[in-house]
Each structure stands twice: as structure tokens, then as C-alpha cells.
Amino acid sequence: MSLSSTLYLFFLLLIFFVYYLLPHRFRWMWLLLAGYFFYFTWQPFYLILLASSTTVAYVFGRLIKPSGSRFTLWLGIGLLLLPLLFYKYYAFLNQNLASLLGLWGEISPLPAWSPLVPIGISFYTFQAISYLIDIRRGYLKPALHFGYFATYLAFFPTLSAGPIERAKRVLTQLQTPQPFRYENAVAGLQLIAWGLFKKVVLANHIAGLIDPVFIQPDAYSGPVLYLSLVLVPLQIFCDFSGYSDIALGSARMLGIRLMRNFDDRVYASTSRIEFWKGWHISLTSWFRDYVYFPLSKQLRSRTGLYINLLIVYFLTGLWHGATWGYILWGLLNGLWLVAEHATKEQRQAFFRRIWPDLNTPLHRFLSTLLAYHVGMFTSAFLRAPSIGATGSLLGGLFSKNRWHLTDVVNLKPFLPILVALGLMDFINRKLQNRELPELVASYGGLSRWSFYLIVCILILTFGRISDSPFFYYQF
């Protein structure tokens, strides 16, 4: 059941009405049942993995002491990682081991098997690991009520693709009585409508335009290849931030506030450092708090910090998937960030000779253009089906023979989606780090209802509300 499907909307309304009819002491049961049913509609068998991870995290959370041995913590983390490593990385490791041994005429000792990756396993595993580490650090007390803890890991809005929430934030809200508030219901519906607009009007239609280009890049001209590449970061943003808006809106209707996962105009960042501060915030902050900071705690040298940054982005690429394309994507992002950090002072000194004020519109525009194109080219490795397909696409893009003025006419199918993206960016500019419900509430009744009407008409007219999976479901 995709969050953008009609079935999900009916499911959410059922959960919403029953939730507020129940006394507080029974609500966790209803939400836990909802989470497990939601997961059941995807992969019934893998409910065993979700329940097992929940039990392991709960038991080890009770065993871990802030002043106790680290062995218990590492054992708990190891047991939580086992299903993730097996289901997500076994086939990749086995294929590469077989290729390596094949060079010497050896046969891989492991059986060939490509299991279906359980949906959401990367997200709920990271939540469980952060829970154990926070207990060990003394930031959090172990959960005493197994039901509330199980509900936290199986909370249906976040179960399939995050945000990767911290236990302290969500458990506290689940255990606190949440009275019905009209403003929460309205704000939640507004976020859901905005997320649906991004997903079914923008992301799905962009995917329909660029999927054939990435599958068969040799059949398209240079202008089409370039515009398809330009749209890749925007498609991923609309898809994943659209999912996050629906997840946040669903939780908001139940009185639960989740963390923001994206800055509104992260695609317009003036550097890749700025970009990564506002992109998939729940994941980047997870790696910062639980990998980068511990690795860098005793370091004083810049070289060591840069190596740790590369490690973090190598793991970020690997987290996205067990392919060399994802790993290369992570390393390329890490290398560019290291370059930005290492040359920051020299670059600023150079550009101040041209623009004494680095905040001039022209300088910001050129910086944004550069940062976007870096992200655009690295995203090709994230979006293309293979490194070979990425190479074909980039090769065609830089081939003189593929660029002709007459080919610009082939861009006509892209024009409606560019106009729709302009509408999204216009609203994102208005947000200025406010939540969408705050922006909508600041306008009068006529403007507010006009916004609702326009978004709903666009969704119903141009949207494809279906079980089309979100891009990040595969991770």
C-alpha cells in the first residue's frame, strides 16, 4: 500500500477516526495493529523480521547500561544489522566474490541467491540502532512498555521510508494523550495534499519522461539527455519530499509531530555543503551523530576529518543500495565535499577580488548553478540502472554529433512539467522555512480555499494516484 494510493487515503481516514474514539490507553494497540497491517500489505512474510528486530532492540535496551560494558551494545547492534546485511547485501557480496575468485579459476563457496529486500528495513534498523546507542550514552532511558516501543518502530507513516526518527521524540508523544485538535487535522491534510501534488503530478510525470532516456540513452539527442539530467534531482526531490510530506501529514492528523526531512528549496543550495544540510536530514544527521562524531572525537588533523567524511559518504552510498553505482555516487559526493571544505578560504579570497560582497545575486546564482550541476551529474549514478548506462548517457551528452538546434523541438513534452515545477518553487519560496500550514493560514479565506482548489484540481486532472512506489522504497 503506497502512501500515494487511494487505498492508503481510506486506510488513513479509518485509523484517524478510530484513534480518536479510543481511550488513550488503547491507542498504542490500534497504531501497532495499523503498522503491522500496513506492512502486511507489502510483504507479509517479512513481518517476522520487523517483529524480531523490535524484540532484539527492546531486550538489549533493557540490558544496556550507560556505565556498563560496550560488549552488550555491540552485540545488540550486530544482531540488528544481521538481517539488513543478509537481505540487502548478500547477493552483491556473493557476485563480487564469485567474480574475484573466477580470476583464479575458483568457484564461489557461497550459494547464489538474490532475496527480495524487505521494504523499510534500512529505516527501522537505523531507528533501533540509534535507540540502543542513545541509551548507552545516557540520553534516553530504556522503554519499559514493549507495546509503545513496538509502535514506535512500526509507526505506519514512517515504516516504509522514514523519516528515521529518534526514539525519545516519538515515544514521548505516543505515551502522551493526544486530544483531537481541528488545527492538527487540517494541517495534516494540507501536508498530505502538498505531498501528493509533488508525487503524482510532478515526480511521476518526470519519471515518465526520463525513464526511457535512462534505459536507452543512445536513442536521444543531446538536448533531451541534458534536460533529463537536469530533471533527475528534481524528480528525486519531488518524490521523496512528497513522501515525507504525506508521512508528516499523516502523523500530524494523529497529533504526532515528526522531524522535517528536507529544506524547502534544498535544490537551490549555493554549495554541496549547504545542500547536504537540507537533504534527507534524518539520514545525514544519523550518520553525523552515530558515525562521523564518534570517529572524529579524538582527531585534531584536517586530513583525519576528511577521511572520516569520505567514510560517511561511502556508507551513505552503500546504505542506498548494494551496487557500485550507489557506492560511486556516495564517494563522488564525499570527494566534492572534501574539496569544498579544503578550498573554502582560497575560493573566498579569489572570488572577493571579483565580488567584494559574496552575497550578490549574480554570485549566488552562479554558485547555485555549479552546485546543482555537480548534484545533477552525481545523481546520474543514483538514477541510472547501471554504471554502463550512466557512461552511455554522459558520453552522448558530450558528443558533438548529438547536438543540433533542430533537436530543441523534442523538448516540447517537457514544457508542462517545467511550468508545474515553477509553481512548486514559487510556493517553496513563500515558505521561507515555515511549515506549509503556517503559510496557508497566513492568507485570507478566499486565497486559502483557492490554494486548496488549485492543488486538488491539479492532482485529480494531471495526477496519477496509484500504487506507484516511491523512489526511496527500494532503499
Side-chain angles (χ1 to χ4, degrees):
M1 186 185 348
S2 173
L3 265 67
S4 62
S5 67
T6 307
L7 179 60
Y8 175 78
L9 298 179
F10 285 112
F11 168 78
L12 176 62
L13 289 175
L14 174 64
I15 300 303
F16 170 77
F17 285 117
V18 176
Y19 177 81
Y20 284 110
L21 288 174
L22 289 171
H24 170 68
R25 66 181 181 276
F26 296 127
R27 286 180 179 175
W28 70 265
M29 299 181 194
W30 178 240
L31 291 180
L32 182 60
L33 179 65
Y36 273 71
F37 175 79
F38 176 79
Y39 204 81
F40 179 86
T41 63
W42 283 104
Q43 297 164 329
F45 175 74
Y46 288 149
L47 277 173
I48 298 171
L49 294 179
L50 175 60
S52 300
S53 295
T54 301
T55 304
V56 167
Y58 177 78
V59 170
F60 275 85
R62 300 295 298 274
L63 296 175
I64 291 170
K65 308 295 180 187
S67 57
S69 169
R70 290 179 178 268
F71 175 77
T72 309
L73 171 65
W74 286 110
L75 180 60
I77 292 175
L79 290 174
L80 289 171
L81 284 174
L82 272 178
L84 176 65
L85 296 175
F86 180 72
Y87 282 95
K88 194 166 182 176
Y89 302 103
Y90 175 87
F92 175 71
L93 292 172
N94 192 27
Q95 289 166 8
N96 284 277
L97 178 62
S99 300
L100 185 62
L101 292 176
L103 296 175
W104 290 278
E106 300 289 337
I107 300 174
S108 174
L110 300 175
W113 188 47
S114 299
L116 182 67
V117 179
I119 194 167
I121 190 170
S122 299
F123 295 90
Y124 68 71
T125 298
F126 271 34
Q127 286 194 171
I129 290 172
S130 68
Y131 167 74
L132 296 185
I133 296 174
D134 285 350
I135 291 173
R136 181 64 176 77
R137 291 176 174 176
Y139 298 161
L140 180 69
K141 291 183 179 180
L144 301 179
H145 194 293
F146 180 78
Y148 279 114
F149 179 73
T151 304
Y152 152 66
L153 281 190
F155 190 44
F156 70 89
T158 65
L159 184 54
S160 50
I164 304 171
E165 282 287 351
R166 309 295 170 89
K168 188 172 184 178
R169 177 185 178 91
V170 175
L171 276 173
T172 302
Q173 294 184 79
L174 289 173
Q175 292 169 340
T176 304
Q178 304 291 344
F180 172 77
R181 288 192 173 90
Y182 174 77
E183 57 270 23
N184 278 341
V186 171
L189 289 170
Q190 289 169 347
L191 285 169
I192 290 170
W194 187 232
L196 282 173
F197 170 75
K198 289 181 184 177
K199 169 60 177 172
V200 303
V201 176
L202 296 177
N204 285 0
H205 280 81
I206 295 173
L209 289 170
I210 69 176
D211 279 351
V213 179
F214 275 86
I215 292 171
Q216 199 176 5
D218 294 336
Y220 293 90
S221 64
V224 173
L225 293 177
Y226 176 74
L227 189 53
S228 297
L229 269 176
V230 167
L231 289 175
V232 168
L234 291 170
Q235 186 234 336
I236 298 174
F237 170 80
C238 291
D239 192 283
F240 196 20
S241 72
Y243 166 88
S244 296
D245 286 338
I246 298 171
L248 266 65
S250 301
R252 183 75 166 269
M253 291 177 67
L254 304 173
I256 308 296
R257 294 236 182 187
L258 302 177
M259 69 181 297
R260 290 181 67 203
N261 218 9
F262 291 89
D263 283 348
D264 300 308
R265 299 189 73 242
V266 63
Y267 48 81
S269 302
T270 56
S271 69
R272 297 300 288 174
I273 293 174
E274 182 185 338
F275 172 86
W276 280 106
K277 288 178 180 178
W279 180 270
H280 200 174
I281 297 169
S282 65
L283 179 67
T284 54
S285 62
W286 195 98
F287 275 115
R288 178 197 66 203
D289 295 343
Y290 301 112
V291 179
Y292 181 76
F293 283 166
L295 286 176
S296 306
K297 195 173 182 181
Q298 305 299 328
L299 286 177
R300 295 292 180 269
S301 69
R302 280 193 174 189
T303 303
L305 294 174
Y306 294 155
I307 291 172
N308 289 345
L309 197 60
L310 284 175
I311 291 172
V312 164
Y313 279 88
F314 164 77
L315 293 175
T316 301
L318 193 61
W319 178 90
H320 280 77
T323 70
W324 288 111
Y326 290 134
I327 292 171
L328 185 57
W329 170 80
L331 287 174
L332 287 173
N333 275 286
L335 286 169
W336 189 269
L337 287 178
V338 168
E340 282 195 356
H341 280 290
T343 63
K344 182 178 179 181
E345 294 178 2
Q346 293 87 339
R347 284 185 293 109
Q348 287 183 344
F350 172 79
F351 284 117
R352 280 201 175 96
R353 296 173 187 171
I354 306 171
W355 292 292
D357 181 7
L358 297 183
N359 287 317
T360 58
L362 180 59
H363 184 268
R364 290 186 61 82
F365 171 75
L366 294 176
S367 299
T368 299
L369 201 63
L370 174 62
Y372 189 88
H373 276 71
V374 171
M376 178 182 91
F377 285 114
T378 56
S379 292
F381 293 94
L382 191 68
R383 187 64 174 71
S386 66
I387 292 180
T390 306
S392 297
L393 191 146
L394 296 178
L397 182 66
F398 293 106
S399 171
K400 291 188 303 182
N401 300 327
R402 305 281 284 276
W403 284 84
H404 304 284
L405 289 177
T406 54
D407 291 328
V408 175
V409 72
N410 297 326
L411 302 181
K412 284 179 66 177
F414 292 87
L415 293 179
I417 205 68
L418 293 175
V419 173
L421 285 168
L423 172 63
M424 179 195 71
D425 185 63
F426 173 77
I427 294 173
N428 284 343
R429 283 175 182 272
K430 293 287 185 180
L431 285 172
Q432 296 180 340
N433 293 321
R434 290 180 293 175
E435 285 191 334
L436 179 72
E438 293 179 45
L439 173 66
V440 175
S442 67
Y443 287 92
L446 181 60
S447 299
R448 190 162 59 245
W449 283 101
S450 297
F451 170 78
Y452 298 153
L453 187 62
I454 291 170
V455 171
C456 288
I457 289 173
L458 288 171
I459 291 171
L460 295 173
T461 305
F462 301 104
R464 289 181 282 186
I465 300 180
S466 65
D467 282 317
S468 171
F470 286 87
F471 185 67
Y472 265 70
Y473 278 1
Q474 63 187 307
F475 305 137

